[in-house]
Amino acid sequence: MYYEGARDGDEIAAFNYGYCSLMGLGVAKDPSVAKSFFSYARDMKGGEACYNIAVMYLEGLGVHKDYRQALRYMTDSATLGCIEAQLYLGMAYTLGYMLYPDIIRISMIPCHKAEYRDMNTNLLMGDVLDAEADEELRFSAIHADARRAFEYFRAAAHHDPTYVEDLVAKGQFLYAKCYLDGMGTDFDRNKGLNIMLIAGKSGSTDAHEYILSNGISEQMLLDAARSAKKRSQ
């Protein structure tokens, strides 16, 4: 039925048939076929198809490994609203390196339905024949850009949290750190701490640890804001 839907021009059906082909679910396992169906659905709202193609290029699954192509598809995916891609690019532009997705729990999105996003199917586990050359390619495909990293973390922090609360919380934590570290934006301690509290309430364990270790409270921030207001008057 997915295949018939794809033939009739349905992007979601094409995406789901692509995933079936990738994993060998009901059809022969064939990553190259999966790539063609994901490509048909590449403009699908949400960016999942572009994201999966990006990860395939990172791994060399059904395609030749190509970090520049991976970056291009990851960028398209982020633009279409995929929070996994936004977080990946935020980290990649921070480090200037096409990193391994498991750093931020990046995985293939197994189904178009968002409620299945917690099902991880990590792909980047294969051996690299020439680790040194591979490392060089990862660095040459992208250059560190703090401002772009900040913009992607901001996008992730403001993403609709439905089904992806944990990833939004991660985005909020990283967005807060940008202000606290002055990375890609002006240093703003109060704004950073306020966002950090929001990240903690959203469930970020990193934010919880930061809040506890620095003794931050909402009252402390309110008092600081009042003092700043008085000084300016």
Side-chain angles (χ1 to χ4, degrees):
M1 291 181 70
Y2 286 149
Y3 180 74
E4 291 299 326
R7 287 186 62 184
D8 289 339
D10 187 291
E11 289 183 331
I12 296 176
F15 176 90
N16 286 336
Y17 187 80
Y19 185 74
C20 288
S21 298
L22 180 67
M23 303 304 293
L25 302 174
V27 293
K29 187 174 182 177
D30 192 331
S32 62
V33 170
K35 163 66 164 50
S36 67
F37 278 87
F38 287 147
S39 294
Y40 182 82
R42 60 174 293 172
D43 296 325
M44 186 174 65
K45 184 179 179 182
E48 290 96 337
C50 275
Y51 179 82
N52 282 0
I53 296 171
V55 176
M56 292 177 82
Y57 274 112
L58 282 170
E59 170 65 4
L61 187 65
V63 294
H64 291 296
K65 186 180 288 190
D66 188 326
Y67 298 127
R68 293 185 189 277
Q69 283 283 69
L71 176 61
R72 182 166 70 88
Y73 279 103
M74 197 69 78
T75 302
D76 289 345
S77 176
T79 301
L80 288 166
C82 181
I83 190 170
E84 288 89 346
Q86 291 164 354
L87 288 170
Y88 178 92
L89 288 171
M91 292 297 295
Y93 277 113
T94 297
L95 301 172
Y97 178 77
M98 293 297 287
L99 47 87
Y100 292 95
D102 59 358
I103 289 178
I104 51 171
R105 208 209 70 185
I106 294 295
S107 63
M108 292 289 287
I109 300 172
C111 251
H112 179 62
K113 285 184 174 292
E115 59 262 35
Y116 294 112
R117 284 182 184 234
D118 62 342
M119 295 169 58
N120 289 335
T121 310
N122 291 314
L123 292 178
L124 301 195
M125 300 171 64
D127 293 330
V128 176
L129 293 177
D130 188 336
E132 188 174 330
D134 185 70
E135 198 81 351
E136 186 177 333
L137 288 172
R138 288 179 181 274
F139 276 108
S140 65
I142 190 171
H143 300 290
D145 188 324
R147 183 64 192 180
R148 283 191 179 183
F150 168 77
E151 289 169 355
Y152 282 119
F153 289 145
R154 177 174 60 191
H158 289 96
H159 195 281
D160 179 356
T162 307
Y163 303 120
V164 289
E165 298 95 334
D166 58 330
L167 296 181
V168 172
K170 188 182 294 289
Q172 290 167 344
F173 169 74
L174 295 167
Y175 183 43
K177 285 287 287 175
C178 286
Y179 282 108
L180 292 168
D181 297 339
M183 190 193 81
T185 188
D186 293 334
F187 170 78
D188 189 328
R189 185 171 184 274
N190 282 344
K191 187 166 186 175
L193 292 179
N194 274 300
I195 297 170
M196 190 66 73
L197 285 173
I198 293 170
K201 290 177 182 178
S202 297
S204 167
T205 54
D206 291 322
H208 278 301
E209 290 175 10
Y210 189 95
I211 290 164
L212 289 173
S213 63
N214 289 276
I216 303 164
S217 69
E218 289 187 58
Q219 188 58 51
M220 180 190 80
L221 295 179
L222 285 172
D223 291 342
R226 289 195 193 100
S227 297
K229 187 176 181 180
K230 286 179 181 177
R231 288 196 299 270
S232 65
Q233 287 175 343

